[in-house]
Amino acid sequence: MNNIRHINALISETYRLILCGQEGAANKSLAKIYDELLKITPMLSAEKIQTLSQLLQVMLDAQQRRDMIYLADIMKFEIPKILS
C-alpha cells in the first residue's frame, strides 16, 4: 500500500525531528501522520481501528505530558505493527 509507505516515511521523519529536539517541526509532521491515518482508516479492519484508536490516545497523553521520546517510540515501533 502506497499510503502505508508514506505514513512510515512520515513516522521516520517525525521520529528524527523529535530526537533532534525540533519540536515545532515534529508537531507539524505529527499532524500529517494523523491526517494520513485518517485517510486509511476505511481500509482497516474494525480490530485494527480499535487498536489504533487506543494507541492514539496513548500518543495524545504522551504529547500533552511533553514526553516526546515516549511519543516517538510509540510512533516508530507500534504504529507500523498495526498497519502491517
Side-chain angles (χ1 to χ4, degrees):
M1 237 185 238
N2 210 15
N3 290 355
I4 292 176
R5 275 185 281 208
H6 181 63
I7 291 169
N8 286 330
L10 284 171
I11 288 171
S12 293
E13 176 63 13
T14 306
Y15 186 81
R16 185 190 67 76
L17 290 167
I18 289 171
L19 294 183
C20 290
Q22 297 178 0
E23 192 170 331
N27 284 332
K28 287 181 184 177
S29 189
L30 184 59
K32 290 178 186 177
I33 292 170
Y34 291 144
D35 288 343
E36 292 300 317
L37 287 171
L38 281 174
K39 288 179 188 176
I40 67 161
T41 299
M43 297 179 255
L44 300 175
S45 69
E47 181 182 327
K48 285 188 177 195
I49 291 171
Q50 182 176 2
T51 303
L52 183 60
S53 176
Q54 293 168 347
L55 186 61
L56 290 173
Q57 287 296 322
V58 173
M59 290 172 62
L60 177 61
D61 180 61
Q63 191 174 15
Q64 288 174 339
R65 290 184 290 109
R66 302 183 60 79
D67 189 348
M68 299 306 281
I69 300 300
Y70 183 53
L71 176 63
D73 285 344
I74 293 169
M75 283 186 315
K76 181 80 172 174
F77 301 108
E78 298 302 325
I79 291 178
K81 285 182 197 176
I82 295 169
L83 299 181
S84 64

